[in-house]
Each structure stands twice: as C-alpha cells, then as structure tokens.
C-alpha cells in the first residue's frame, strides 16, 4: 500500500493498492504525473499520480526488488533485486512492460543502484563492499569494479553530469569517485 499525504495539513489524500508485498523503492517522474514503485513482489509498477490507477506492471524479476533508479532525463528506469537481475525499462515506450536490457549472470544481490543522466552508466552496491560500474552504451555491458568500502554498500548516487559517484556504506564511510 502506498499512502499519499498532504504535507501542509498532514491529511491522508489517497491510498494506492496493487503490490502484493512491501514497497521497497519509489519515485515520481520528472513531470510529477507518474509514480514508479518497486516491491518485494518482484514487480515494478507505473501509477497515474493523480488517480492512483496502475498504468503498467513490469515483470522480469524472480525475487524481491531491492533498489531502483531513474536516469536524470527520466527516460530510463533501472531495477535491481535479490535475484541479482538488473533490468532497464523505458516506461514511455509503447512496450513499456518489457525490459529493454536485462543483465544475466550477476550473482550478487543488488542493494544499491544509480543511473547516470542518460541511463548508459549504472552503479550497483554489493554486500561485500564493492561497487560495480556498468557501461550499457555498447551492445554488451562492460563492468569496472571499485573497491573502497569494507562493508555493504547502502547507497550510490551520480552527480547531475555523471562525472562523480558518491557511495555510502555500512563501514560508516562516504566516498566520492571520479568517474
């Protein structure tokens, strides 16, 4: 269940129902017209922010979705889950329910995820303190490992130009990486 609150009056405005389990990630599109959510029910849902209507359900994960990100241009949604899958979606496309790219063979659960401005570069945070950078620009994704944390990476974020990556971990450190 997703609850929409008026932050001035603290009154509940609406309740969106549809996921079969806990919602783990959510964000509004840049124009504010849609809400995109990820859940332990292994789905990504696109909602009309005004009406609460489910516009699309994207199914590709086998286990809980733990992290999601959106490119700064708002065109690419990325989901990562306990199943180790990383999926790129384009909700504005005609076939939005289909993943544009799915990375197979990634064995670590995805706990943190960020996309750069156009979705061509991704960062994922792992339990063992590593960060993987994924370059989706070519026909086959390439990766670079960044080691620096000594415990699970909780969050990753690109700056607006995609030149810096910030990471935060269970080791109580925040690191900046020059990409």
């Amino acid at each position: 269940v997703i609850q929409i609150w008026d932050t001035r009056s603290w009154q509940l405005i609406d309740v969106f129902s549809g996921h079969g389990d806990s919602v783990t990630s959510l964000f509004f599109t840049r124009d504010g017209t849609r809400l995109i959510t990820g859940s332990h029910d292994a789905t990504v849902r696109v909602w009309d922010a005004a009406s609460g209507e489910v516009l699309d359900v994207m199914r590709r994960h086998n286990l809980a979705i733990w992290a999601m990100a959106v490119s700064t241009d708002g065109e690419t949604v990325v989901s990562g889950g306990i199943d180790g899958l990383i999926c790129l979606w384009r909700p504005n496309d005609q076939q939005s329910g289909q993943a544009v790219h799915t990375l197979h063979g990634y064995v670590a659960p995805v706990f943190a995820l960020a996309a750069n401005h156009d979705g061509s570069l991704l960062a994922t945070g792992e339990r063992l303190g590593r960060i993987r950078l994924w370059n989706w620009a070519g026909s086959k994704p390439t990766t670079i490992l960044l080691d620096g944390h000594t415990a699970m990476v909780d969050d990753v974020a690109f700056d607006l130009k995609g030149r810096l990556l910030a990471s935060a971990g269970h080791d109580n450190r925040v690191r900046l990486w020059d990409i």
Side-chain angles (χ1 to χ4, degrees), residues 139-175:
S139 60
K140 184 176 180 184
T142 57
T143 62
I144 297 170
L145 275 177
L146 301 176
D147 286 315
H149 287 282
T150 58
M152 184 169 88
V153 176
D154 295 311
D155 205 0
V156 288
F158 284 99
D159 73 324
L160 290 178
K161 294 183 180 178
R163 294 185 195 146
L164 293 174
L165 177 72
S167 60
H170 260 67
D171 57 3
N172 298 321
R173 295 179 189 254
V174 174
R175 297 194 175 272

Side-chain angles (χ1 to χ4, degrees), residues 17-20 35-39 41-47 53-61 65 89 91 95-99:
S17 298
H19 280 294
L35 179 67
I36 301 177
T37 59
S39 169
D41 69 6
T43 65
V44 173
R45 292 178 188 256
V46 179
W47 309 77
E53 175 188 356
V54 176
L55 302 175
D56 204 352
V57 179
M58 298 179 265
R59 294 177 173 91
R60 182 62 187 97
H61 289 275
I65 293 171
W89 315 88
Q95 297 178 339
S96 61
Q98 304 297 316

Side-chain angles (χ1 to χ4, degrees), residues 13 16 35 39-40 53 55 57 72 79 88 105 107 117 148 175:
I13 298 171
F16 296 179
L35 179 67
S39 169
H40 278 188
E53 175 188 356
L55 302 175
V57 179
T72 54
S79 58
L88 273 72
V107 296
H117 64 284
R175 297 194 175 272

Side-chain angles (χ1 to χ4, degrees), residues 89-148:
W89 315 88
R90 301 223 191 261
N92 294 333
D93 286 355
Q94 294 295 324
Q95 297 178 339
S96 61
Q98 304 297 316
V100 176
H101 294 288
T102 302
L103 181 61
H104 298 278
Y106 184 61
V107 296
V110 178
F111 290 105
L113 186 59
N116 71 341
H117 64 284
D118 64 1
S120 64
L121 189 63
L122 307 175
T124 56
E126 299 178 5
R127 182 177 298 167
L128 298 177
R130 287 183 303 226
I131 297 166
R132 287 184 195 262
L133 289 179
W134 304 86
N135 184 342
W136 289 84
S139 60
K140 184 176 180 184
T142 57
T143 62
I144 297 170
L145 275 177
L146 301 176
D147 286 315

